[in-house]
Amino acid sequence: MKAGILKENIEIYEPVTVTTDFGNTTQTWQRFYTTRAAVMHNGGTRLNQNDEIFYPNNKTFIVRHYVPVVEKMRIHYQGKKYQITSIVPNKWYNDKEIYTTLVNE
């Protein structure tokens, strides 16, 4: 892995289930890990969700192999949230490629 390509800071968030005073359970996101990554734009589309035009971008984040990340987590990058769709380990370069889609919130 070439360490010089890891130029961007990203934060990895994990889902946490919280029980309220009334017994309801809600899901919140808690910061789990912060690391550096290489970011590549993989394109996107135009969607009409809930009478709103939305442009979901697909990005690939390349991180070191030891970063503890799984598919149920999210990545925060430049003020936007990305849902992880897949994680592909690359044994030749000793890193992980994380494929994501922008979350509409």
Side-chain angles (χ1 to χ4, degrees):
M1 151 146 257
K2 295 181 181 178
I5 65 170
L6 305 178
K7 296 180 181 181
E8 306 292 333
N9 288 323
I10 64 170
E11 295 176 340
I12 299 172
Y13 282 72
E14 66 178 345
V16 176
T17 304
V18 177
T19 304
T20 63
D21 296 335
F22 298 107
N24 296 357
T25 58
T26 60
Q27 182 177 355
T28 60
W29 295 93
Q30 178 181 358
R31 185 169 51 198
F32 174 71
Y33 200 80
T34 302
T35 188
R36 297 185 64 80
V39 181
M40 293 183 291
H41 181 72
N42 286 343
T45 59
R46 179 181 178 204
L47 294 177
N48 187 353
Q49 282 184 341
N50 301 328
D51 295 329
E52 175 186 0
I53 303 294
F54 177 61
Y55 298 95
N57 297 324
N58 299 329
K59 293 203 183 288
T60 301
F61 297 91
I62 300 174
V63 296
R64 295 188 186 270
H65 70 92
Y66 57 79
V67 174
V69 62
V70 293
E71 281 86 5
K72 65 181 181 179
M73 295 180 173
R74 284 187 178 174
I75 293 178
H76 287 208
Y77 170 66
Q78 292 184 343
K80 296 182 180 176
K81 301 171 187 174
Y82 294 90
Q83 182 68 41
I84 297 174
T85 56
S86 66
I87 300 171
V88 179
N90 188 344
K91 293 182 180 180
W92 292 103
Y93 292 110
N94 208 16
D95 61 11
K96 292 180 187 176
E97 294 181 6
I98 304 171
Y99 296 95
T100 62
T101 302
L102 183 63
V103 176
N104 186 14
E105 285 188 328

